[in-house]
Every structure is written in structure tokens, then in C-alpha cells.
Amino acid sequence: MKLYVNGVLKEFEKEQMTISELVKELQIKAPNFAVAVGFDVIPKSEYDTFVLKDGDKVEIVHFVGGG
């Protein structure tokens, strides 16, 4: 499966995966992040069930606090 993650083409061995599986595969450990597929922000409650398709454009944004 090929996905564009934050503008970079990445290939994965799995033929399909959920957002949760992608986050685990990318080893994202930040507690606060948001995921958009195409132009749609996906609710965190759907990360386990939202199945990504080959060629999807995924944007993962980490929240950083500061002042």
C-alpha cells in the first residue's frame, strides 16, 4: 500500500490499514495529534475503524504547547 504522509510517499507491506495501525507503524507517540485524510479531519473516535485506501493523502499534525 502506498500513502502520502505529510506530503511524502511511503510504502507499507499491508494491503490495508486503519489510522491507528498507521500511527503505530510510524511510531508516533505524541499524546496530542490530529489526522486528516484528503481534506477531512478524522475524529479520534474513528481511528480504529477508518480504513485507509491506496494513494490516500494523510496529514498528521502534532500539537505543541508553549508561550
Side-chain angles (χ1 to χ4, degrees):
M1 159 180 254
K2 294 179 183 179
L3 298 171
Y4 290 90
V5 180
N6 293 348
V8 178
L9 180 62
K10 295 190 177 275
E11 292 191 46
F12 300 93
E13 290 184 18
K14 295 182 177 185
E15 291 186 24
Q16 71 176 31
M17 68 173 64
T18 63
I19 292 174
S20 291
E21 292 170 324
L22 174 64
V23 167
K24 185 176 179 182
E25 187 85 20
L26 296 174
Q27 299 179 351
I28 295 174
K29 295 179 169 98
N32 299 314
F33 61 91
V35 178
V37 179
F39 293 105
D40 299 320
V41 175
I42 309 303
K44 198 167 219 161
S45 61
E46 294 181 23
Y47 287 4
D48 290 335
T49 57
F50 190 98
V51 178
L52 298 163
K53 298 180 208 75
D54 191 52
D56 273 347
K57 292 182 173 132
V58 181
E59 294 292 325
I60 301 173
V61 180
H62 300 267
F63 298 107
V64 179

